[in-house]
Coordinates of all heavy atoms in Angstrom, one line a residue:
G2 N 84.5 30.7 130.1 CA 84.3 32.0 130.9 C 85.7 32.3 131.6 O 86.6 31.5 131.5
E3 N 85.8 33.4 132.1 CA 86.9 33.8 132.6 C 86.9 33.4 134.2 O 85.9 33.6 134.9 CB 87.1 35.4 132.6 CG 88.2 36.1 133.4 CD 88.2 37.5 133.4 OE1 87.4 38.0 132.6 OE2 88.8 38.2 134.3
E4 N 88.1 32.8 134.7 CA 88.1 32.4 136.1 C 88.4 33.7 136.9 O 89.2 34.4 136.6 CB 89.3 31.4 136.2 CG 89.4 31.0 137.6 CD 90.5 30.0 137.8 OE1 90.4 28.9 137.5 OE2 91.6 30.3 138.2
V5 N 87.5 33.9 137.8 CA 87.6 35.1 138.7 C 88.1 34.8 140.1 O 88.4 35.6 140.9 CB 86.2 35.8 138.8 CG1 85.8 36.3 137.5 CG2 85.1 34.8 139.5
F6 N 88.1 33.4 140.5 CA 88.6 33.1 141.8 C 89.0 31.6 141.9 O 88.3 30.8 141.2 CB 87.6 33.4 142.9 CG 88.0 33.0 144.2 CD1 88.9 33.8 144.9 CD2 87.6 31.9 144.9 CE1 89.3 33.5 146.3 CE2 87.9 31.5 146.1 CZ 88.8 32.3 146.9
R7 N 90.0 31.3 142.5 CA 90.4 29.9 142.8 C 90.9 29.8 144.1 O 91.7 30.7 144.6 CB 91.5 29.5 141.7 CG 91.8 28.0 141.9 CD 92.9 27.6 141.0 NE 92.2 27.6 139.7 CZ 92.4 26.6 138.8 NH1 93.3 25.6 139.1 NH2 91.7 26.5 137.6
H8 N 90.6 28.9 144.9 CA 91.1 28.5 146.2 C 91.5 27.1 146.4 O 90.7 26.2 145.8 CB 90.1 28.8 147.2 CG 90.5 28.6 148.6 ND1 91.3 29.4 149.3 CD2 90.1 27.6 149.6 CE1 91.5 28.9 150.6 NE2 90.9 27.8 150.6
S9 N 92.6 26.8 147.0 CA 92.9 25.4 147.4 C 93.2 25.3 148.8 O 93.7 26.2 149.5 CB 94.0 24.9 146.5 OG 95.2 25.7 146.8
M10 N 93.0 24.1 149.3 CA 93.3 23.7 150.7 C 94.3 22.7 150.8 O 94.1 21.7 150.1 CB 92.0 23.3 151.4 CG 91.1 24.5 151.7 SD 89.6 24.0 152.8 CE 90.3 23.4 154.2
P11 N 95.3 22.8 151.6 CA 95.6 24.0 152.4 C 96.2 25.0 151.7 O 96.9 24.7 150.6 CB 96.6 23.3 153.5 CG 97.2 22.2 152.7 CD 96.2 21.6 151.8
D12 N 96.1 26.2 152.1 CA 96.8 27.3 151.3 C 98.2 27.5 151.8 O 98.5 26.7 152.7 CB 96.0 28.6 151.6 CG 95.8 29.1 152.9 OD1 96.6 28.7 153.8 OD2 95.0 29.9 153.2
E13 N 98.9 28.3 151.3 CA 100.4 28.4 151.7 C 100.6 28.7 153.3 O 101.4 28.1 153.8 CB 101.0 29.6 150.9 CG 101.2 29.2 149.5 CD 102.0 28.1 149.2 OE1 102.9 27.8 149.9 OE2 101.5 27.3 148.2
D14 N 99.6 29.5 153.8 CA 99.7 29.7 155.3 C 99.5 28.4 156.1 O 100.0 28.3 157.3 CB 98.7 30.8 155.7 CG 99.0 32.1 155.1 OD1 100.2 32.4 154.7 OD2 98.1 32.9 154.9
D15 N 98.7 27.5 155.7 CA 98.4 26.3 156.4 C 99.3 25.2 156.3 O 99.4 24.3 157.0 CB 97.0 25.9 156.0 CG 95.8 26.8 156.5 OD1 96.1 27.6 157.5 OD2 94.8 26.8 155.9
K16 N 100.0 25.2 155.2 CA 100.9 24.0 154.8 C 101.9 23.6 156.0 O 102.1 22.5 156.2 CB 101.7 24.3 153.5 CG 100.8 24.1 152.3 CD 101.5 24.2 151.0 CE 100.5 24.1 149.9 NZ 101.2 24.2 148.5
A17 N 102.6 24.6 156.6 CA 103.5 24.3 157.6 C 102.8 23.7 158.8 O 103.2 22.7 159.4 CB 104.3 25.6 158.1
N18 N 101.6 24.1 159.2 CA 100.9 23.6 160.3 C 100.3 22.2 159.9 O 100.4 21.2 160.8 CB 99.6 24.4 160.6 CG 98.9 23.9 161.9 OD1 99.6 23.6 162.9 ND2 97.5 23.9 161.8
V19 N 100.0 22.0 158.6 CA 99.6 20.6 158.2 C 100.7 19.6 158.4 O 100.5 18.5 158.8 CB 99.1 20.7 156.8 CG1 98.9 19.3 156.1 CG2 97.8 21.5 156.6
D20 N 101.9 20.0 158.0 CA 103.1 19.1 158.1 C 103.3 18.6 159.5 O 103.6 17.6 159.9 CB 104.3 19.7 157.4 CG 104.1 19.9 155.9 OD1 103.3 19.2 155.3 OD2 104.9 20.7 155.4
V21 N 103.3 19.7 160.3 CA 103.3 19.5 161.9 C 102.3 18.4 162.3 O 102.7 17.5 163.1 CB 103.4 20.8 162.7 CG1 103.5 20.4 164.2 CG2 104.7 21.6 162.2
L22 N 101.1 18.6 162.1 CA 100.1 17.9 162.6 C 100.1 16.5 162.0 O 99.9 15.5 162.7 CB 98.7 18.6 162.4 CG 98.5 19.8 163.2 CD1 97.2 20.6 162.7 CD2 98.4 19.5 164.7
A23 N 100.4 16.3 160.7 CA 100.5 15.0 160.0 C 101.5 14.1 160.7 O 101.5 13.0 160.9 CB 100.8 15.2 158.6
A24 N 102.7 14.8 161.1 CA 103.8 14.1 161.8 C 103.3 13.6 163.2 O 103.7 12.7 163.7 CB 104.9 14.9 161.9
K25 N 102.6 14.6 163.9 CA 102.1 14.4 165.3 C 101.1 13.3 165.4 O 100.9 12.5 166.3 CB 101.7 15.7 165.9 CG 101.4 15.6 167.3 CD 101.1 17.0 167.9 CE 100.8 16.9 169.4 NZ 100.5 18.2 169.9
Y26 N 100.2 13.3 164.2 CA 99.1 12.3 164.3 C 98.9 11.5 163.0 O 98.1 11.6 162.2 CB 97.7 13.1 164.3 CG 97.8 14.0 165.7 CD1 97.9 15.5 165.5 CD2 97.5 13.5 166.9 CE1 97.7 16.2 166.7 CE2 97.4 14.3 167.9 CZ 97.6 15.5 167.8 OH 97.5 16.4 169.0
P27 N 100.0 10.5 163.0 CA 100.0 9.8 161.7 C 98.7 8.9 161.6 O 98.2 8.4 162.6 CB 101.2 8.9 161.8 CG 101.5 8.9 163.3 CD 101.0 10.2 163.8
G28 N 98.2 8.8 160.3 CA 97.0 8.0 160.1 C 95.7 8.7 160.3 O 94.6 8.2 160.0
A29 N 95.7 10.0 160.8 CA 94.5 10.8 160.9 C 94.0 11.3 159.5 O 94.9 11.3 158.6 CB 94.6 11.9 161.8
M30 N 92.7 11.6 159.4 CA 92.3 12.1 158.2 C 93.0 13.5 157.9 O 92.9 14.2 158.7 CB 90.8 12.2 158.1 CG 90.1 10.7 158.4 SD 90.5 9.6 157.1 CE 89.8 10.3 155.7
P31 N 93.5 13.6 156.7 CA 94.2 14.8 156.3 C 93.5 16.1 156.3 O 93.9 17.2 156.6 CB 94.7 14.6 154.8 CG 94.6 13.1 154.6 CD 93.6 12.5 155.6
Y32 N 92.1 16.1 156.0 CA 91.3 17.2 156.0 C 91.3 17.9 157.5 O 91.0 19.0 157.6 CB 89.9 17.1 155.5 CG 89.0 16.0 156.2 CD1 88.3 16.4 157.3 CD2 88.9 14.8 155.7 CE1 87.6 15.5 158.0 CE2 88.2 13.8 156.4 CZ 87.5 14.2 157.5 OH 86.6 13.3 158.1
F33 N 91.4 17.1 158.4 CA 91.4 17.6 159.8 C 92.6 18.6 160.0 O 92.5 19.6 160.8 CB 91.5 16.5 160.9 CG 90.3 15.7 161.2 CD1 90.4 14.4 161.0 CD2 89.2 16.3 161.5 CE1 89.2 13.6 161.2 CE2 88.0 15.6 161.6 CZ 88.1 14.3 161.5
F34 N 93.7 18.3 159.4 CA 94.9 19.2 159.6 C 94.7 20.5 158.9 O 95.1 21.6 159.6 CB 96.1 18.5 159.0 CG 96.4 17.2 159.5 CD1 96.9 16.2 158.7 CD2 96.2 16.8 160.8 CE1 97.2 14.8 159.1 CE2 96.4 15.5 161.4 CZ 96.9 14.5 160.4
S35 N 94.1 20.6 157.8 CA 94.1 21.9 157.1 C 93.0 22.8 157.8 O 93.0 24.0 157.7 CB 93.7 21.8 155.6 OG 92.5 21.2 155.5
Q36 N 92.0 22.1 158.5 CA 91.0 22.9 159.3 C 91.2 23.0 160.7 O 90.3 23.5 161.5 CB 89.5 22.1 159.0 CG 89.3 22.2 157.5 CD 88.0 21.4 157.2 OE1 87.2 21.0 158.2 NE2 87.7 21.1 155.9
D37 N 92.4 22.6 161.2 CA 92.6 22.7 162.6 C 92.5 24.0 163.3 O 91.8 24.2 164.2 CB 94.1 22.1 162.9 CG 94.4 22.2 164.3 OD1 93.9 21.5 165.1 OD2 95.3 23.0 164.6
P38 N 92.8 25.1 162.6 CA 92.7 26.4 163.3 C 91.1 26.7 163.5 O 90.7 27.3 164.4 CB 93.4 27.4 162.4 CG 94.4 26.7 161.6 CD 93.6 25.2 161.5
D39 N 90.4 26.3 162.5 CA 88.9 26.5 162.5 C 88.3 25.8 163.7 O 87.4 26.2 164.4 CB 88.2 26.2 161.2 CG 88.7 27.2 160.1 OD1 89.0 28.3 160.4 OD2 88.7 26.7 159.0
Y40 N 88.7 24.4 163.8 CA 88.1 23.6 164.8 C 88.5 24.2 166.2 O 87.7 24.1 167.1 CB 88.6 22.2 164.7 CG 88.2 21.4 163.5 CD1 89.1 20.5 162.9 CD2 86.9 21.4 163.1 CE1 88.7 19.8 161.7 CE2 86.4 20.6 162.1 CZ 87.3 19.9 161.3 OH 86.9 19.1 160.3
T41 N 89.7 24.6 166.3 CA 90.1 25.3 167.6 C 89.2 26.5 167.9 O 88.8 26.6 169.1 CB 91.6 25.8 167.5 OG1 92.4 24.6 167.3 CG2 92.0 26.3 168.8
T42 N 88.9 27.3 167.0 CA 88.1 28.5 167.2 C 86.6 28.0 167.6 O 86.2 28.6 168.5 CB 88.0 29.4 166.0 OG1 89.4 29.9 165.6 CG2 87.1 30.6 166.2
V43 N 86.1 27.1 167.0 CA 84.8 26.6 167.2 C 84.8 26.0 168.7 O 83.8 26.3 169.4 CB 84.3 25.6 166.2 CG1 83.0 24.9 166.7 CG2 84.1 26.2 164.9
K44 N 85.8 25.2 169.0 CA 85.8 24.5 170.4 C 85.9 25.6 171.5 O 85.2 25.5 172.4 CB 87.0 23.6 170.4 CG 86.6 22.2 169.6 CD 87.8 21.3 169.9 CE 89.1 21.6 169.1 NZ 90.1 20.7 169.2
E45 N 86.6 26.7 171.2 CA 86.8 27.7 172.3 C 85.6 28.4 172.5 O 85.2 28.8 173.4 CB 88.0 28.6 171.7 CG 89.4 28.0 171.9 CD 90.5 28.9 171.4 OE1 90.2 29.9 170.6 OE2 91.6 28.6 171.6
R46 N 84.8 28.8 171.3 CA 83.6 29.6 171.3 C 82.5 28.8 172.1 O 81.8 29.3 172.9 CB 83.3 30.1 170.0 CG 84.1 31.1 169.4 CD 83.7 31.6 168.1 NE 84.8 32.6 167.6 CZ 84.6 33.1 166.3 NH1 83.7 32.8 165.6 NH2 85.5 34.0 166.0
V47 N 82.4 27.5 171.8 CA 81.4 26.7 172.3 C 81.6 26.4 173.7 O 80.7 26.4 174.6 CB 81.2 25.4 171.5 CG1 80.3 24.4 172.2 CG2 80.7 25.7 170.1
S48 N 82.9 26.3 174.1 CA 83.3 26.0 175.4 C 83.1 27.3 176.2 O 82.5 27.1 177.5 CB 84.9 25.6 175.6 OG 85.1 24.4 175.0
N49 N 83.3 28.3 175.7 CA 83.1 29.7 176.4 C 81.6 29.9 176.6 O 81.2 30.3 177.6 CB 83.6 30.9 175.7 CG 83.9 32.0 176.4 OD1 83.8 32.1 177.8 ND2 83.9 33.3 175.9
F50 N 80.8 29.5 175.7 CA 79.3 29.6 175.9 C 78.9 28.7 177.1 O 78.0 29.0 177.9 CB 78.6 29.1 174.6 CG 77.1 29.0 174.8 CD1 76.3 30.1 174.9 CD2 76.5 27.8 174.8 CE1 75.0 30.0 175.1 CE2 75.2 27.6 175.0 CZ 74.4 28.8 175.2
C51 N 79.3 27.4 177.0 CA 79.0 26.4 178.0 C 79.4 26.8 179.4 O 78.6 26.7 180.3 CB 79.5 25.0 177.7 SG 78.8 24.3 176.3
A52 N 80.6 27.4 179.6 CA 81.1 27.7 180.8 C 80.7 29.1 181.3 O 80.4 29.2 182.6 CB 82.7 27.7 180.7
N53 N 80.5 30.0 180.4 CA 80.2 31.5 180.8 C 79.0 32.1 180.2 O 78.7 33.3 180.5 CB 81.4 32.3 180.4 CG 82.7 31.8 181.1 OD1 82.7 31.5 182.3 ND2 83.7 31.6 180.3
G54 N 78.3 31.3 179.4 CA 77.1 32.0 178.6 C 77.3 33.0 177.7 O 76.4 33.6 177.3
V55 N 78.6 33.1 177.2 CA 79.0 34.1 176.1 C 78.5 33.5 174.8 O 78.8 32.3 174.6 CB 80.4 34.3 176.2 CG1 80.8 35.2 175.0 CG2 80.9 34.9 177.5
E56 N 77.8 34.3 174.0 CA 77.2 33.8 172.8 C 78.5 33.3 171.9 O 79.5 33.9 171.8 CB 76.7 34.9 172.0 CG 76.1 34.5 170.6 CD 75.5 35.6 169.9 OE1 75.2 36.7 170.4 OE2 75.2 35.4 168.6
A57 N 78.2 32.1 171.3 CA 79.2 31.6 170.5 C 79.1 32.1 169.0 O 78.6 31.5 168.0 CB 79.1 30.1 170.4
E58 N 79.6 33.3 168.9 CA 79.6 34.2 167.6 C 80.0 33.3 166.5 O 81.1 32.8 166.4 CB 80.2 35.5 167.7 CG 80.1 36.4 166.5 CD 80.7 37.7 166.9 OE1 80.9 38.2 168.0 OE2 81.2 38.3 165.8
G59 N 79.3 33.3 165.3 CA 79.9 32.6 164.2 C 79.6 31.2 164.1 O 80.0 30.6 163.1
V60 N 79.1 30.6 165.1 CA 78.9 29.1 165.3 C 77.4 28.8 165.0 O 76.5 29.5 165.6 CB 79.2 28.6 166.6 CG1 79.0 27.0 166.7 CG2 80.8 28.9 166.9
A61 N 77.1 28.0 164.0 CA 75.8 27.7 163.5 C 75.0 26.9 164.8 O 75.7 26.2 165.4 CB 75.8 26.7 162.4
T62 N 73.7 27.3 164.9 CA 72.9 26.7 165.9 C 72.4 25.4 165.2 O 72.5 25.2 164.1 CB 71.7 27.6 166.1 OG1 70.9 27.9 164.9 CG2 72.1 29.0 166.8
L63 N 71.6 24.6 166.1 CA 71.1 23.4 165.4 C 70.0 23.8 164.5 O 69.8 23.0 163.5 CB 70.5 22.6 166.6 CG 71.6 21.9 167.6 CD1 70.9 21.1 168.7 CD2 72.5 20.9 166.8
E64 N 69.3 24.9 164.8 CA 68.2 25.2 163.8 C 68.8 25.7 162.5 O 68.4 25.3 161.4 CB 67.6 26.4 164.4 CG 66.1 26.8 163.7 CD 65.3 25.6 163.8 OE1 65.2 25.0 164.8 OE2 64.5 25.4 162.8
V65 N 70.0 26.3 162.4 CA 70.6 26.6 161.1 C 71.2 25.4 160.5 O 71.0 25.2 159.2 CB 71.9 27.6 161.5 CG1 72.8 27.8 160.2 CG2 71.4 29.0 161.8
A66 N 71.6 24.5 161.3 CA 72.2 23.2 160.7 C 71.0 22.4 160.1 O 71.2 21.9 158.9 CB 72.8 22.3 161.8
K67 N 69.8 22.3 160.8 CA 68.8 21.6 160.2 C 68.2 22.3 158.9 O 67.9 21.7 157.9 CB 67.5 21.6 161.2 CG 67.8 20.7 162.4 CD 66.6 20.5 163.3 CE 65.6 21.6 163.3 NZ 64.6 21.5 164.2
D68 N 68.2 23.5 158.8 CA 67.8 24.3 157.6 C 68.7 24.1 156.5 O 68.3 24.0 155.4 CB 67.7 25.8 158.0 CG 66.5 26.2 158.9 OD1 65.6 25.3 158.9 OD2 66.3 27.2 159.3
T69 N 70.0 24.0 156.9 CA 71.0 23.8 155.8 C 70.9 22.4 155.3 O 70.9 22.3 154.0 CB 72.4 24.0 156.3 OG1 72.5 25.3 157.0 CG2 73.4 23.7 155.4
L70 N 70.6 21.5 156.0 CA 70.3 20.1 155.5 C 69.1 20.0 154.7 O 68.9 19.3 153.6 CB 70.2 19.1 156.7 CG 71.5 18.7 157.3 CD1 71.3 17.8 158.5 CD2 72.5 18.0 156.4
K71 N 68.0 20.8 155.0 CA 66.8 20.9 154.2 C 67.2 21.4 152.8 O 66.6 20.9 151.7 CB 65.8 21.7 154.9 CG 65.0 21.1 156.0 CD 64.1 22.0 156.7 CE 63.6 21.6 158.1 NZ 62.7 22.5 158.7
V72 N 68.0 22.5 152.7 CA 68.4 23.0 151.5 C 69.1 21.9 150.6 O 68.9 21.8 149.4 CB 69.2 24.3 151.7 CG1 69.8 24.9 150.3 CG2 68.3 25.4 152.4
A73 N 69.9 21.4 151.2 CA 70.8 20.3 150.6 C 70.0 19.1 150.1 O 70.2 18.7 149.0 CB 71.9 19.6 151.7
E74 N 69.0 18.7 151.0 CA 68.1 17.6 150.4 C 67.3 18.1 149.3 O 67.0 17.4 148.3 CB 67.2 17.2 151.5 CG 68.0 16.4 152.7 CD 67.1 16.1 153.9 OE1 66.0 16.7 154.1 OE2 67.6 15.3 154.7
Y75 N 66.8 19.4 149.2 CA 66.1 19.8 148.1 C 67.0 20.0 146.9 O 66.5 19.6 145.7 CB 65.7 21.3 148.5 CG 64.9 22.1 147.3 CD1 63.7 21.8 147.0 CD2 65.7 23.0 146.6 CE1 63.1 22.4 145.9 CE2 65.1 23.7 145.6 CZ 63.9 23.4 145.2 OH 63.3 24.0 144.1
L76 N 68.2 20.3 147.1 CA 69.1 20.6 145.9 C 69.6 19.3 145.2 O 69.9 19.2 144.1 CB 70.2 21.5 146.3 CG 70.0 22.9 146.5 CD1 71.2 23.6 147.0 CD2 69.5 23.6 145.3
V77 N 69.7 18.2 146.0 CA 70.3 16.9 145.5 C 69.6 16.4 144.3 O 70.3 16.3 143.2 CB 70.4 15.9 146.6 CG1 70.6 14.5 145.9 CG2 71.6 16.2 147.5
P78 N 68.3 16.4 144.2 CA 67.7 15.7 143.0 C 67.7 16.7 141.9 O 67.9 16.3 140.6 CB 66.2 15.5 143.4 CG 66.1 16.2 144.7 CD 67.4 16.4 145.3
L79 N 67.7 18.0 142.1 CA 67.9 18.9 141.1 C 69.2 19.0 140.4 O 69.2 18.9 139.1 CB 67.5 20.5 141.7 CG 66.2 20.7 142.2 CD1 66.2 22.0 142.7 CD2 65.1 20.6 141.1
L80 N 70.3 18.9 141.2 CA 71.5 18.8 140.7 C 71.9 17.4 139.9 O 72.6 17.4 138.9 CB 72.6 19.1 141.8 CG 72.5 20.4 142.4 CD1 73.5 20.5 143.7 CD2 72.9 21.5 141.4
Q81 N 71.2 16.4 140.5 CA 71.5 15.1 139.8 C 70.9 15.1 138.4 O 71.4 14.7 137.6 CB 70.9 14.0 140.7 CG 71.7 13.7 142.0 CD 71.0 12.6 142.9 OE1 69.9 12.6 143.0 NE2 71.8 12.0 143.7
K82 N 69.6 15.6 138.4 CA 69.0 15.8 137.1 C 69.7 16.8 136.0 O 70.0 16.3 134.9 CB 67.6 16.4 137.3 CG 66.8 16.6 136.1 CD 65.5 17.1 136.3 CE 64.7 17.1 134.9 NZ 63.3 17.7 135.1
Q83 N 70.4 17.7 136.6 CA 71.3 18.6 135.7 C 72.6 17.9 135.2 O 73.1 18.0 134.1 CB 71.6 19.9 136.4 CG 70.5 20.8 136.6 CD 70.9 22.2 137.2 OE1 72.0 22.4 137.5 NE2 69.9 22.9 137.7
L84 N 73.1 17.0 136.1 CA 74.4 16.3 135.7 C 74.1 15.1 135.0 O 75.0 14.4 134.5 CB 75.0 15.9 137.1 CG 75.6 17.2 137.8 CD1 76.1 16.7 139.2 CD2 76.7 17.8 137.0
S85 N 72.9 14.6 134.9 CA 72.6 13.3 134.1 C 72.4 13.6 132.6 O 72.3 14.6 132.1 CB 71.4 12.6 134.7 OG 70.2 13.4 134.6

């Protein structure tokens, strides 16, 4: 088939930040570096909710997290069967 999309992490925009963080925190897991801007956004939104009651827009609730795990648990045996 025709490839319609491809993504890799870190992308070109993140590579400079990844290099800075890798030098600053040697030994840390590399995936933290490429996701650093996202972690910062989540921490700011959750902190703002805790301090000021402002909805943490775009942050999954515990209910959403539980439902996501249910979907994953349902899919695991189906995918394993397809891959065997």
Side-chain angles (χ1 to χ4, degrees):
E3 178 185 342
E4 181 175 280
V5 294
F6 178 77
R7 181 180 290 223
H8 178 74
S9 63
M10 286 182 60
D12 61 19
E13 291 301 319
D14 294 334
D15 292 334
K16 283 184 181 176
N18 189 45
V19 168
D20 292 340
V21 169
L22 292 172
K25 187 174 181 179
Y26 304 105
M30 298 303 291
Y32 61 83
F33 286 125
F34 305 143
S35 61
Q36 297 176 10
D37 180 67
D39 296 325
Y40 291 139
T41 299
T42 298
V43 169
K44 289 186 285 185
E45 288 172 351
R46 290 179 183 179
V47 171
S48 297
N49 196 22
F50 171 76
C51 293
N53 304 309
V55 175
E56 181 182 347
E58 185 179 332
V60 177
T62 63
L63 289 177
E64 195 63 36
V65 169
K67 288 184 344 187
D68 289 344
T69 302
L70 287 174
K71 288 178 187 176
V72 171
E74 289 172 347
Y75 171 79
L76 290 175
V77 165
L79 298 175
L80 295 172
Q81 287 174 331
K82 184 177 180 180
Q83 289 180 11
L84 294 172
S85 62

